[in-house]
Amino acid sequence: MALINVASREIQCKIVYYGTGYCGKTTNLQYIFSHAPQPARGELLSIATENERTLFFDFLPLDLGDIHGFRVRFHLYTVPGQVLYERTRVAVLGGADGIVYVADSSPEKLEENFQSLIELETNMRRMGNDLSRFPFVMQWNKRDLPNAVPEATLERYLNRRRVPAFPAAAVTGEGVFPTLRAICKAVMAGL
Amino acid sequence: MADWPKQVRVVEGGMEQLTNIVVSPGELEAIARLLERLAQESSASHVLLLDKSGQVIAAQQQSSERDIVALGALLAGAFSSSRQVAEILGERDFRGILQQGVHESIYTSLIREHWLLVVAFDKQTHVGLVKVLARRASDELERVLDRVLSGSAAAKEQVVNVQFRNSVENTIDYLFRD
């Protein structure tokens, strides 16, 4: 739920990166953290297991600075992707103003992507939100894999709403900022 | 989570509009007064008012702003997590959680399903006192926060106009360019 603090002249919005385990949600945030200009990026906070799987969430605040006298901030979160952690995903998803669905382009992950999208839709519906009418973009990650599923196939199976989708290879940074720009603008349009 | 408030309303054209929390100067002043009194009476190092998604609405604190933003995200995350635990245990929800440290402890309580009041206090202050004071502050905060939730569309329109949106979009393009 976006916070417009007229008194302290601040606007804060929450964006959640959602997707299956190892799809690259944390990698997106890590790339943004290391490549966004210094004054805009806050500290990257990760609640992870010892082997660096996300246990609860990653958190990266982005500060756009002063715009017409207002300080605009986007708070980026990831959810843990592992199937077992649905309850934790629900906890992180609460109050989101925008969602990026990160899909893994590996052929063996297609079914898992599909199931995880259904879970996202269900959880959003339980919170009273319809994804078709919500700031929502897709990212086709791992396009650098030699056997990546064709984008047309991902579009067909995972993007029946025809929301903006961005090919990406988060490890090299390809597609990371276009995705970020799109979701930030979609959230602003929804304010 | 079935009890999360509905966040969007349909506007012309079919796209839904996010419901925002709009805090006016008068409301923030009232909130700040209540938090300050709570901080003084409980000798707290931090008193924060958060919305459940982790946004910091107001804070009385001795830490840097950067730490406060992180604290908001972490404390709201811990509270959301505890509510999921409650659901698994068949409890409706936990209205408050206490995190006990050797020197500092934190008491977080829910206000009207939307907000979290956080008090960080040291071992000189008894937890029972913090709970009583937090309860009293919550009752008073409820009245102010109801006004915030009922929303001030006019106040928002003054800020988020076409010109403002264009400037934000330009800043996004500039800062997050490839």
Side-chain angles (χ1 to χ4, degrees):
Chain A
M1 195 180 286
L3 171 66
I4 302 176
N5 199 330
V6 182
S8 59
R9 307 191 77 74
E10 279 183 346
I11 295 180
Q12 297 172 32
C13 307
K14 176 174 178 175
I15 294 170
V16 176
Y17 282 65
Y18 203 96
T20 60
Y22 286 123
C23 71
K25 302 172 292 294
T26 300
T27 313
N28 265 272
L29 260 62
Q30 285 169 338
Y31 186 85
I32 295 166
F33 175 67
S34 50
H35 290 82
Q38 178 64 53
R41 63 167 195 244
E43 242 168 283
L44 176 62
L45 199 79
S46 286
I47 306 180
T49 61
E50 276 175 19
N51 52 0
E52 297 192 342
R53 304 289 309 266
T54 303
L55 182 63
F56 196 170
F57 59 77
D58 305 300
F59 172 68
L60 176 63
L62 295 174
D63 189 340
L64 268 58
D66 197 286
I67 302 174
H68 294 235
F70 270 76
R71 198 153 169 205
V72 180
R73 286 205 185 103
F74 289 100
H75 291 171
L76 310 186
Y77 289 75
T78 66
V79 296
Q82 296 166 76
V83 178
L84 275 174
Y85 292 169
E86 183 180 355
R87 297 268 180 176
T88 316
R89 282 191 284 283
V90 171
V92 178
L93 205 52
D97 300 304
I99 293 169
V100 175
Y101 186 83
V102 182
D104 189 324
S105 297
S106 324
E108 61 273 19
K109 289 283 191 167
L110 191 57
E111 172 67 21
E112 209 182 314
N113 283 323
F114 187 72
Q115 293 302 336
S116 132
L117 254 180
I118 291 175
E119 180 200 275
L120 171 63
E121 283 170 0
T122 309
N123 287 327
M124 289 298 281
R125 212 176 305 121
R126 282 186 188 145
M127 292 175 196
N129 296 318
D130 176 357
L131 265 188
S132 307
R133 297 165 175 272
F134 197 80
F136 179 45
V137 304
M138 312 279 283
Q139 183 186 76
W140 310 137
N141 194 24
K142 306 195 186 177
R143 297 311 302 161
D144 51 335
L145 287 177
N147 61 342
V149 173
E151 282 180 47
T153 309
L154 294 171
E155 283 284 347
R156 186 171 160 207
Y157 287 100
L158 303 177
N159 195 11
R160 59 190 170 84
R161 294 186 176 80
R162 297 287 174 259
V163 298
F166 300 87
V171 277
T172 61
E174 188 197 327
V176 170
F177 279 123
T179 310
L180 177 66
R181 290 197 296 270
I183 192 61
C184 288
K185 288 179 185 179
V187 168
M188 278 314 294
L191 276 188
Chain B
M1 210 148 55
D3 59 349
W4 199 276
K6 182 162 170 55
Q7 291 202 169
V8 285
R9 65 179 187 274
V10 181
V11 291
E12 244 174 279
M15 186 67 185
E16 289 182 351
Q17 190 174 28
L18 297 164
T19 299
N20 311 296
I21 304 167
V22 182
V23 187
S24 74
E27 288 152 359
L28 188 68
E29 207 177 294
I31 292 168
R33 258 200 317 272
L34 289 167
L35 297 193
E36 194 181 347
R37 193 180 73 189
L38 177 57
Q40 277 172 1
E41 290 178 347
S42 59
S43 308
S45 60
H46 295 73
V47 177
L48 310 178
L49 180 69
L50 315 173
D51 92 309
K52 276 200 312 190
S53 67
Q55 322 274 30
V56 180
I57 294 164
Q60 289 284 324
Q61 87 282 4
Q62 297 165 3
S63 304
S64 71
E65 189 187 311
R66 182 171 277 216
D67 287 343
I68 291 300
V69 170
L71 268 178
L74 289 168
L75 290 165
F79 198 85
S80 290
S81 163
S82 82
R83 297 195 99 193
Q84 293 295 310
V85 172
E87 217 174 287
I88 291 169
L89 296 179
E91 182 63 55
R92 191 178 166 270
D93 58 35
F94 296 133
R95 308 296 299 178
I97 55 171
L98 176 68
Q99 292 160 293
Q100 212 159 4
V102 177
H103 302 293
E104 283 272 319
S105 297
I106 295 177
Y107 179 65
T108 305
S109 53
L110 186 65
I111 307 178
R112 281 266 164 93
E113 301 301 321
H114 300 286
W115 325 90
L116 297 174
L117 178 62
V118 178
V119 186
F121 56 99
D122 66 15
K123 57 184 177 185
Q124 306 298 328
T125 308
H126 195 279
V127 62
L129 174 68
V130 172
K131 285 183 178 178
V132 169
L133 293 173
R135 180 68 257 165
R136 192 183 69 187
S138 294
D139 290 342
E140 291 173 272
L141 281 166
E142 274 182 9
R143 286 192 283 278
V144 185
L145 293 172
D146 283 347
R147 292 206 297 274
V148 171
L149 255 198
S150 65
S152 162
K156 190 192 84 176
E157 292 307 318
Q158 280 179 354
V159 181
V160 189
N161 53 28
V162 178
Q163 216 182 359
F164 180 79
R165 285 180 205 278
N166 288 341
S167 298
V168 173
E169 289 205 358
N170 291 338
T171 308
I172 289 167
D173 284 334
Y174 174 73
L175 286 177
F176 306 140
R177 63 191 182 276
D178 288 301

